[in-house]
């Protein structure tokens, strides 16, 4: 079984209100086995365009990554960040190379 990943780039316009989203997403991420590999930090753009913050979350499977995003709890968390941030997120199946 291949792992699944969320790869997100975003911009946060209201850090205090964004903390409410972070608190709300903790439970669904834990429930589905999500683990942060990258959570902000220094980044250097080498090609193309990017938002100022990058996050990578690993899940035990692609199905778990999708189930977490689709869960009622995570969908409720998303509503907390609407209007205070802008996010691009892809769910990607890992490679067993």
């Amino acid at each position: 079984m291949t792992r699944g990943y969320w790869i997100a780039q975003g911009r946060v316009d209201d850090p205090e209100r964004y903390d409410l989203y972070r608190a709300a997403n903790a439970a669904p991420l834990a429930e589905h086995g999500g683990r942060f590999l990258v959570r902000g930090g220094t980044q250097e753009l080498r090609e193309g365009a990017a938002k100022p913050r990058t996050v990578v979350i690993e899940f035990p499977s692609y199905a778990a990554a999708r189930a977490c995003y689709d869960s009622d709890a995570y969908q409720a968390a998303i509503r907390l960040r609407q209007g205070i941030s802008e996010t691009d997120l892809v769910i990607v199946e890992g490679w067993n190379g």
Side-chain angles (χ1 to χ4, degrees), residues 3-95:
R3 295 190 183 273
Y5 298 86
W6 288 6
I7 302 172
Q9 289 199 320
R11 183 192 76 247
V12 176
D13 298 323
D14 186 337
E16 288 180 18
R17 286 183 50 206
Y18 194 80
D19 284 343
L20 298 173
Y21 161 73
R22 282 189 187 134
N25 77 25
L29 289 173
E31 179 182 336
H32 292 90
R35 175 174 82 96
F36 285 92
L37 300 180
V38 175
R39 193 172 192 176
T42 302
Q43 67 182 25
E44 183 176 317
L45 180 64
R46 293 293 182 112
E47 295 185 34
K51 290 184 172 61
R53 179 176 171 79
T54 300
V55 174
V56 178
I57 303 171
E58 181 181 66
F59 291 85
S61 68
Y62 181 68
R66 293 185 66 210
C68 183
Y69 188 87
D70 293 338
S71 70
D72 291 341
Y74 188 71
Q75 290 301 306
I78 288 174
R79 289 190 289 278
L80 294 173
R81 69 172 160 79
Q82 290 174 336
I84 62 162
S85 69
E86 182 179 313
T87 301
D88 296 324
L89 184 143
V90 294
I91 300 174
V92 183
E93 185 175 39
W95 183 59

